[in-house]
Amino acid sequence: VQLQASGGGLVQPGGSLRLSCAASGFALDYYAIAWFRQAPGKEREFVAAIWWSGSSTYYTDSVKDRFTISRDNSKSTVYLQMNSLKPEDTALYYCAADTILIRTPRSWTYWGQGTLVTVSS
């Protein structure tokens, strides 16, 4: 099982970034893919999640109406479109996969490496 996260970078407040999580090595149909983030000195927190099959999406309150999670089945990739970025969105962003969708980070089995998002002027 491999999850490859990419797309982080430096962006000014109010800007946008799109993160990608490319999945391989397992049958995605029964999995959920989630994005988590961890800011310096803080615990890892849930950001958004999507089931590979179906249309349900889930978000933490602080990113609702700003972030959108989506998937491209043909590319086995999940995206996190982040708009109206704020300095408090600065963190290392991770994607994770599991067959059970729970917002607690320790519940997720498979993790990609982090991609750093820095929101600063």
Side-chain angles (χ1 to χ4, degrees), residues 7 13 29 35 53 83 86 96 110:
D29 289 357
W35 286 97
S53 300
N83 298 328
K86 305 175 181 180
Y110 304 108

Side-chain angles (χ1 to χ4, degrees), residues 4-5 31 55 61 67 69 82 87-88 93 96 99 102 105 110-111 120:
Q4 183 75 31
Y31 280 80
S55 59
D61 287 346
F67 291 10
I69 190 169
M82 305 186 296
E88 51 263 42
Y93 283 69
T99 57
I102 300 175
Y110 304 108
W111 290 85
S120 175

Side-chain angles (χ1 to χ4, degrees), residues 86-106:
K86 305 175 181 180
E88 51 263 42
D89 294 317
T90 295
L92 201 56
Y93 283 69
Y94 298 89
C95 58
D98 212 310
T99 57
I100 299 175
L101 200 164
I102 300 175
R103 300 187 180 212
T104 307
R106 65 176 180 270

Side-chain angles (χ1 to χ4, degrees), residues 44-102:
R44 193 169 299 188
E45 65 171 353
F46 172 85
V47 176
I50 187 169
W51 284 103
W52 196 259
S53 300
S55 59
S56 296
T57 56
Y58 309 85
Y59 299 92
T60 192
D61 287 346
S62 62
V63 308
K64 281 180 182 176
D65 301 324
R66 298 190 298 124
F67 291 10
T68 302
I69 190 169
S70 63
R71 66 177 190 270
D72 184 332
N73 291 32
S74 67
K75 296 181 179 179
S76 298
T77 299
V78 170
Y79 302 100
L80 185 68
Q81 178 67 43
M82 305 186 296
N83 298 328
S84 302
L85 282 161
K86 305 175 181 180
E88 51 263 42
D89 294 317
T90 295
L92 201 56
Y93 283 69
Y94 298 89
C95 58
D98 212 310
T99 57
I100 299 175
L101 200 164
I102 300 175

Side-chain angles (χ1 to χ4, degrees), residues 6-44:
S6 62
L10 173 64
V11 63
Q12 292 188 341
S16 298
L17 278 176
R18 188 179 78 160
L19 306 183
S20 300
C21 177
S24 62
F26 60 106
L28 291 166
D29 289 357
Y30 304 103
Y31 280 80
I33 306 291
W35 286 97
F36 290 82
R37 66 186 179 186
Q38 188 165 17
K42 295 189 176 182
E43 293 186 352
R44 193 169 299 188

